[in-house]
Amino acid sequence: METKGEIEYDGFYMIEEIDIPFEEEILRNPYTLKSWFRYIDHKVEQPIQQRIFVYERALKELPGSYKLWKQYLDLRREQVQDLNSVKYEKEYLKVNNCFERALVLLHKMPRIWIDYCSFLVKQCRITKTRRTFDRALKALPITQHPRIWEIYLKFARDIGGETAIRLYRRYLKLEPDHVEEYINLLLSLNRYDEAAKRLAQVVNNDRFQSMHGKSNYQLWMELCDLICEHPHEIKSLKVEPIIRSGIRRFTDQVGKLWNSLANYWIKLHHFEKARDVFEEGISTVMTVRDFTQIFDTYAKAEEAVIEKKMEEAAERTEEGQEDPEQDLELDLRLMRFEQLMDRRPFLVNDVLLRQNPNNVHEWEKRVSLWKDNHEKIVETYSKAMRTIDPKKATGKFHELWVNFAKYYERGGDLENARTIFEKATHVNFKNVNDLASLWCEYAEMELRHEFYDKAIDVMGRATVPAGNPNVDFRDESIPVQRRVFKSIKLWSFYVDLEESIGTVESTKAVYDRILELKIATPQIIINYANFLEENKYYEESFKVYERGVELFNYPIAFEIWNVYLTKFIERYSGSKLERARDLFEQALEKCPPKYAKSLYLMYGKLEEDYGLARHAMRIYDRATRAVSDEDRFEMFNFYIAKAGANFGVTYTRDIYERAIEVLPDKEAKDMCLKYAELERKLGEIDRARALYAHASQFCDPRTVPSFWQTWHDFEVKHGNEDTFKEMLRIKRSVQAQYNTEVNFISAQILATRQAQQASQQEGTNNDAGEIDLEL
C-alpha cells in the first residue's frame, strides 16, 4: 500500500522516493558490493533503523563479505557502547547475535573474533566470554593466537580466581617464557605455594631468560624472600635445602641468605633452629661484611625475644603471679646474649683466619684476645704452629715462635721456652734471615737469665754448617737450615757475644771463621781490626785490614785503605817508612781516579812529615796525572802551593806551564791569570803579558769581560801605547774568531738576552719606585 510516495514495510517506511535510484541499481546488480556501499553511504544521515535495514538486505545477498560485515558490526557496537549492559541486555544480545551470524562464514577472520571477544568482556557473561575465547582459539591458526591471548589474559587478570590461574596455565604451554607474569598473578591471588614452586623451576632452569631483564641471582633472591615471608603457606618445597644451595651458589651474598634461612625458622617459631642457623652462619662465612650482616641480625633477634620475655615478666609482676620456669628462661637468654656479645671479637678473628689461615698478625691478635687464659693461649699458639705454612705466611712467622717462647719465659718456665725454640729451629722458614733472627732471640733469652755458656753454645750450634759449606746462601730451593750458617746477622750477634763474655782467642776464632766463609762486611773488617788493636795485637789488626782489601774492590776497599793507612801512620809514624810507602803504592795501584786524591794527599803528607820534600813533590806531581778531571785543578793548586813553600816560587813555573797544557780551557784561563800575577810580582812584565796573550784565546770578550778588564788594568799600569794597541788588536781578533763559531754565537745571544731582561726588570722597578713617590 503506497501512501504519500513511500513504501510501507512492516509498519515502517524504510524506502523513500530519493532511494528509488539506488533500489533500481541493486535490483539490476544485487551481487555488486559497490552498489550496496553507495546505497549505504546515501543512508548515512538517515535513522539507524534504515541503515540496519539496508545492511541486512545487503548481507542477505552477500553473506560472505568481510568488509560488509565489519562495517555492520562496528555500527551495531557503536549503537550500544554507551548503554548499560545489564539494563539493556536485549540490545547487547542482538549485537551478539549479529557476531554469531557473521562468524558462521567468517570464523577464520581474527579481527571479527577480537572485536566479538572485546565486546563480550564488557558484558557480565564470564562463561559465555570464556567459551567464545576458546572457540576463537580453536577456529584461528596458531600464528594468530597471540592476538587473542593478549585480550584473553587481560580478561583473566580482571576476573581473577581459579579461572585466571587455569587460563595462564594454558597460556604457558604456548609461551613458557612468560612464566613471570603467571608468578605475579599467583602472588596477587595469595597462591604463594604454587608461586614458589614455579619460581623454583625458573631458578633451576639455566636456559631461562627473564622477560623483565632479571638475573638468575635476582630471581633466586625473590624465591628466598617469598618462602621466608610466607613460611606457613609453602608446602611443596623444602625450604632449607633451597636456601643452602643458594649459599653455595652465590658466595658474594652469603650473609643475606643465611639471614633469610634464619628468618624462615623464626616465623615458624622454631627459635632454636634459627639460633643454630645463625651460629652456623657466623662460623662459616669468609668475609667480615657477611659476618656483620649475620651477627647484627642475630643480635636483633635475641634482643627482640628478650624484650618480649621481659614485658611478660613485668606483666606477671604487676598481676602478682610467679612463673619460675619463665624467669629462668629469661635469665638464660640474657646470659646467652652477653656471651654472644663477648664472643664477637673472637668470631671476627675467626673470619679473618678463614680468609687467610697463614696471617701471622691475626694469630697474634687472637692470642691477645685471650688475655690471662693460659690454656687458651697455649692452645692458640699450638694451633697456629700447626696451621701456618711457613712458605705462605703473611707476616713474620718466626716472631710468632719467639712470642710463644717468651710467653713461657715470662711465666718462669724456661724449659718449655727452650723446647719451643728448639722446635722452631727446625721450621723451614720463607727467609733465611728469619731463622737467623730466631737463633739470636734464643741466645738473648739465655743472656737475660745469665746463662752465658748456654747462650754461646746456642750461637755455636747455629753457626755450624749443616752439610755442604760451599752452599749458595741465596739459593731459595735449599732449606734455610743448610744456609743459615752464612747469615752475617747471625755471625755479627755471635761475635758481639764473644767480645762481651768470651775470651780474646774465642773472639778471634769467630772473626777468622767469618773471613774464611767470605761473608765479612767492611764493618766486620773494621770491628775485627779495632778489637785486635784494643787488645794490643797491632800487627794482626793490620793483617785483618790487608785481608779486607783483598776481599773487597773499590769503592769499599778505599774506605778500608783509608782507615788502615791512618792507623798505620799513627802507630809507626816514620819508623817503618818503607813499609808505609809500599802500602801506599799498593793502595794506589788499582785505585780509580775518583778516589785517588785523598790517598795521594795522605801519601804526600807522610813524605813531608817523615821523608823527603822532593819525594813529596814527586807524589803530588803523580797525583796531578792520576786524579779525576774534577779534582785536577784543585790538585794543581795544592801542588803549586806546596812547591812554592818548599822550593820557592820560581820552582812553580814548570808546574804552571804543565797545568795550562792539561787543564780544560776554563780552568786553564784561571791558571794563566794566577801565573801572570806571579810573574808580575816577580817583575817579569813581558812574561806576564805573554801569559795574558796566551789566555786570551780561551776568553770571548762578550762572555768573559772580567779577563779583559784585568788585562786592561795591567796594560794601563805596566804597558805603553804599543802594548795597549796590541792588546786591543788581540781582543778584536778573538772576538772575530768567536763570531764564526755557532756554539759561541748562541752563548753570546743567550748572555745578551739575559742582560736585556735584567735591565728591563731594573727599569720596571725604578718606574714603580717613581710612581710610589708621586703617590
Side-chain angles (χ1 to χ4, degrees):
M1 172 180 164
E2 295 183 6
T3 306
K4 298 180 181 179
E6 296 180 355
I7 298 176
E8 184 178 353
Y9 182 78
D10 290 338
F12 292 98
Y13 295 100
M14 297 295 180
I15 302 175
E16 300 177 355
E17 290 184 359
I18 57 176
D19 301 333
I20 293 176
F22 297 98
E23 289 287 341
E24 292 176 349
E25 183 179 359
I26 60 174
L27 288 174
R28 290 191 300 269
N29 302 301
Y31 304 111
T32 303
L33 191 61
K34 289 183 179 180
S35 300
W36 286 107
F37 276 126
R38 280 196 292 268
Y39 195 5
I40 291 170
D41 292 340
H42 167 68
K43 289 285 189 178
V44 169
E45 302 296 333
Q46 300 300 320
I48 186 69
Q49 291 81 2
Q50 294 189 21
R51 282 185 283 167
I52 293 174
F53 173 67
V54 176
Y55 271 116
E56 290 288 346
R57 291 173 61 196
L59 290 171
K60 187 176 181 180
E61 299 296 336
L62 299 171
S65 173
Y66 168 76
K67 191 172 184 181
L68 198 59
W69 273 112
K70 182 69 171 63
Q71 288 191 7
Y72 181 42
L73 293 173
D74 290 344
L75 176 66
R76 297 300 299 268
R77 281 191 301 136
E78 290 176 3
Q79 183 184 5
V80 298
Q81 66 179 0
D82 296 329
L83 302 178
N84 186 286
S85 61
V86 178
K87 185 177 180 181
Y88 297 93
E89 182 180 4
K90 292 184 179 180
E91 297 298 327
Y92 274 90
L93 288 176
K94 290 179 183 179
V95 179
N96 293 345
N97 185 46
C98 289
F99 274 107
E100 294 290 345
R101 287 165 49 205
L103 289 171
V104 172
L105 295 177
L106 301 180
H107 57 277
K108 296 296 182 183
M109 297 298 175
R111 185 72 257 173
I112 302 298
W113 283 110
I114 291 171
D115 291 345
Y116 187 22
C117 292
S118 300
F119 184 67
L120 286 174
V121 167
K122 298 180 180 180
Q123 305 176 39
C124 299
R125 298 173 177 273
I126 295 176
T127 303
K128 172 72 174 176
T129 305
R130 178 174 56 79
R131 289 176 177 175
T132 303
F133 273 115
D134 293 341
R135 287 168 53 205
L137 292 172
K138 292 178 182 178
L140 293 174
I142 190 70
T143 55
Q144 299 293 335
H145 284 197
R147 301 176 66 185
I148 302 300
W149 276 112
E150 183 178 356
I151 54 176
Y152 200 2
L153 293 177
K154 184 177 183 302
F155 166 73
R157 289 192 295 270
D158 291 339
I159 61 174
E162 187 67 24
T163 301
I165 293 174
R166 291 179 178 272
L167 288 177
Y168 261 96
R169 287 175 184 170
R170 287 173 54 195
Y171 177 63
L172 291 179
K173 295 179 181 179
L174 177 67
E175 295 288 349
D177 291 339
H178 291 72
V179 67
E180 290 175 273
E181 297 179 12
Y182 179 43
I183 294 171
N184 292 333
L185 174 67
L186 292 172
L187 293 175
S188 66
L189 297 175
N190 299 330
R191 303 288 287 269
Y192 300 114
D193 186 59
E194 187 174 356
K197 186 177 178 181
R198 286 283 184 172
L199 196 53
Q201 293 174 357
V202 168
V203 167
N204 292 326
N205 185 4
D206 295 333
R207 298 183 179 180
F208 178 76
Q209 295 291 331
S210 173
M211 301 292 291
H212 302 293
K214 295 180 180 179
S215 64
N216 188 265
Y217 165 72
Q218 290 175 307
L219 295 171
W220 192 279
M221 294 309 298
E222 287 183 5
L223 174 61
C224 292
D225 294 340
L226 175 61
I227 60 183
C228 292
E229 290 175 4
H230 307 282
H232 296 282
E233 289 83 359
I234 307 301
K235 306 295 182 182
S236 303
L237 298 177
K238 295 181 179 180
V239 175
E240 187 165 358
I242 289 175
I243 298 180
R244 287 185 179 275
S245 64
I247 291 171
R248 293 188 296 270
R249 188 172 182 179
F250 303 105
T251 55
D252 58 336
Q253 296 294 331
V254 171
K256 187 175 182 180
L257 292 171
W258 278 115
N259 286 338
S260 298
L261 180 56
N263 289 331
Y264 169 76
W265 290 116
I266 289 173
K267 290 190 176 182
L268 290 177
H269 303 289
H270 295 168
F271 297 109
E272 293 302 323
K273 284 189 176 181
R275 183 180 292 109
D276 293 341
V277 169
F278 280 127
E279 289 290 340
E280 185 180 357
I282 59 179
S283 62
T284 57
V285 292
M286 300 296 292
T287 64
V288 176
R289 179 177 65 88
D290 292 333
F291 169 81
T292 304
Q293 287 181 347
I294 299 173
F295 188 87
D296 291 346
T297 307
Y298 188 8
K300 288 179 181 178
E302 291 289 345
E303 287 178 354
V305 174
I306 291 172
E307 185 177 355
K308 184 176 180 181
K309 293 290 183 183
M310 293 180 71
E311 290 177 357
E312 293 176 356
E315 291 177 0
R316 289 197 302 270
T317 303
E318 291 177 358
E319 296 174 358
Q321 299 177 359
E322 293 184 1
D323 191 343
E325 293 184 0
Q326 292 295 328
D327 293 340
L328 178 61
E329 183 181 355
L330 176 60
D331 293 338
L332 289 174
R333 288 187 177 276
L334 287 170
M335 182 178 66
R336 188 180 293 164
F337 182 71
E338 290 177 2
Q339 185 181 11
L340 175 65
M341 301 310 293
D342 292 339
R343 287 166 53 207
R344 180 183 173 89
F346 294 94
L347 295 171
V348 174
N349 184 259
D350 286 336
V351 174
L352 296 173
L353 287 177
R354 282 196 293 273
Q355 288 180 1
N356 181 13
N358 300 309
N359 191 331
V360 176
H361 177 68
E362 291 302 326
W363 283 108
E364 290 282 8
K365 189 183 293 185
R366 188 170 187 82
V367 170
S368 64
L369 289 174
W370 290 116
K371 296 181 181 178
D372 298 328
N373 192 330
H374 174 74
E375 293 181 359
K376 289 295 184 180
I377 290 175
V378 174
E379 179 185 348
T380 302
Y381 272 122
S382 302
K383 186 177 180 181
M385 304 314 173
R386 294 192 303 269
T387 305
I388 296 176
D389 183 353
K391 294 295 184 182
K392 298 179 182 178
T394 303
K396 298 179 179 180
F397 185 35
H398 72 283
E399 290 187 357
L400 193 64
W401 283 96
V402 171
N403 292 335
F404 191 12
K406 285 183 177 180
Y407 174 73
Y408 278 115
E409 181 189 356
R410 287 192 295 270
D413 191 352
L414 290 182
E415 290 302 320
N416 276 328
R418 291 190 182 101
T419 303
I420 298 300
F421 273 120
E422 290 294 338
K423 289 182 179 180
T425 57
H426 295 89
V427 176
N428 188 17
F429 293 103
K430 182 164 55 177
N431 193 336
V432 67
N433 287 325
D434 293 345
L435 181 57
S437 299
L438 186 77
W439 280 109
C440 294
E441 291 286 350
Y442 190 2
E444 284 184 358
M445 184 193 73
E446 300 291 358
L447 288 175
R448 283 194 293 271
H449 296 277
E450 300 181 358
F451 293 109
Y452 304 118
D453 293 338
K454 288 186 177 181
I456 292 177
D457 180 64
V458 167
M459 297 310 299
R461 289 192 294 120
T463 52
V464 172
N468 182 14
N470 297 322
V471 67
D472 185 1
F473 181 74
R474 296 177 179 83
D475 189 353
E476 297 292 337
S477 62
I478 301 174
V480 293
Q481 281 77 14
R482 295 171 56 188
R483 295 182 284 137
V484 71
F485 73 95
K486 283 194 172 184
S487 171
I488 191 61
K489 180 177 183 180
L490 197 65
W491 283 103
S492 297
F493 184 84
Y494 190 12
V495 78
D496 290 342
L497 189 62
E498 286 288 357
E499 284 188 21
S500 301
I501 61 177
T503 63
V504 175
E505 295 302 324
S506 62
T507 307
K508 287 171 60 179
V510 175
Y511 273 120
D512 291 337
R513 183 61 180 153
I514 295 174
L515 294 176
E516 289 173 10
L517 292 173
K518 296 182 180 179
I519 60 173
T521 62
Q523 189 62 49
I524 292 289
I525 298 295
I526 301 299
N527 291 344
Y528 188 14
N530 289 337
F531 171 76
L532 293 172
E533 184 180 355
E534 290 172 1
N535 289 279
K536 313 301 182 183
Y537 293 93
Y538 299 107
E539 286 299 326
E540 291 189 24
S541 70
F542 296 148
K543 289 180 182 179
V544 171
Y545 284 124
E546 291 175 1
R547 294 177 69 178
V549 296
E550 290 176 1
L551 288 174
F552 301 102
N553 296 322
Y554 283 91
I556 297 175
F558 167 73
E559 302 296 338
I560 299 176
W561 274 116
N562 202 8
V563 177
Y564 180 19
L565 295 171
T566 302
K567 294 286 187 181
F568 189 87
I569 294 172
E570 289 178 357
R571 172 65 182 162
Y572 294 111
S573 300
S575 60
K576 294 189 178 183
L577 186 58
E578 289 301 324
R579 183 177 170 186
R581 286 171 178 166
D582 292 340
L583 290 176
F584 273 108
E585 292 297 336
Q586 183 182 349
L588 293 169
E589 183 179 358
K590 297 179 180 179
C591 183
K594 182 179 179 181
Y595 304 100
K597 177 184 171 184
S598 59
L599 292 178
Y600 274 110
L601 292 176
M602 192 185 301
Y603 192 7
K605 189 167 188 318
L606 174 70
E607 290 292 349
E608 287 184 34
D609 293 342
Y610 308 108
L612 299 174
R614 55 189 180 83
H615 287 175
M617 295 303 107
R618 192 180 303 119
I619 290 168
Y620 293 141
D621 184 63
R622 284 172 56 192
T624 59
R625 295 178 174 85
V627 297
S628 62
D629 294 339
E630 293 81 6
D631 298 329
R632 186 167 284 116
F633 180 71
E634 186 178 352
M635 195 68 226
F636 267 114
N637 286 331
F638 184 81
Y639 182 20
I640 290 169
K642 288 293 183 181
N646 291 323
F647 299 100
V649 293
T650 56
Y651 183 80
T652 61
R653 284 176 173 162
D654 293 338
I655 303 173
Y656 273 117
E657 292 172 1
R658 192 165 65 82
I660 292 169
E661 291 177 2
V662 300
L663 289 174
D665 291 350
K666 182 178 180 181
E667 295 174 350
K669 180 260 296 183
D670 295 335
M671 192 61 71
C672 286
L673 289 175
K674 294 180 68 177
Y675 191 10
E677 182 63 21
L678 173 65
E679 295 293 357
R680 187 187 67 78
K681 290 179 180 178
L682 294 175
E684 298 290 344
I685 302 303
D686 292 336
R687 291 176 65 89
R689 185 176 289 111
L691 287 168
Y692 281 122
H694 178 75
S696 65
Q697 61 184 319
F698 311 130
C699 305
D700 182 5
R702 279 168 287 193
T703 58
V704 194
S706 58
F707 168 78
W708 295 97
Q709 183 63 40
T710 302
W711 194 2
H712 178 275
D713 296 341
F714 172 79
E715 292 296 344
V716 169
K717 189 173 182 180
H718 301 287
N720 51 41
E721 184 178 354
D722 293 335
T723 58
F724 194 83
K725 288 182 179 179
E726 181 65 17
M727 185 266 294
L728 294 176
R729 184 191 65 77
I730 293 173
K731 183 177 181 180
R732 287 193 296 272
S733 65
V734 170
Q735 186 171 354
Q737 174 189 351
Y738 279 105
N739 284 339
T740 60
E741 296 186 15
V742 176
N743 291 337
F744 290 103
I745 292 174
S746 61
Q748 291 168 0
I749 293 173
L750 181 61
T752 302
R753 287 179 179 176
Q754 292 176 349
Q756 291 176 353
Q757 291 175 357
S759 62
Q760 291 176 357
Q761 184 67 30
E762 184 179 357
T764 303
N765 294 336
N766 292 336
D767 293 341
E770 292 176 0
I771 293 172
D772 291 340
L773 290 173
E774 292 175 0
L775 292 173

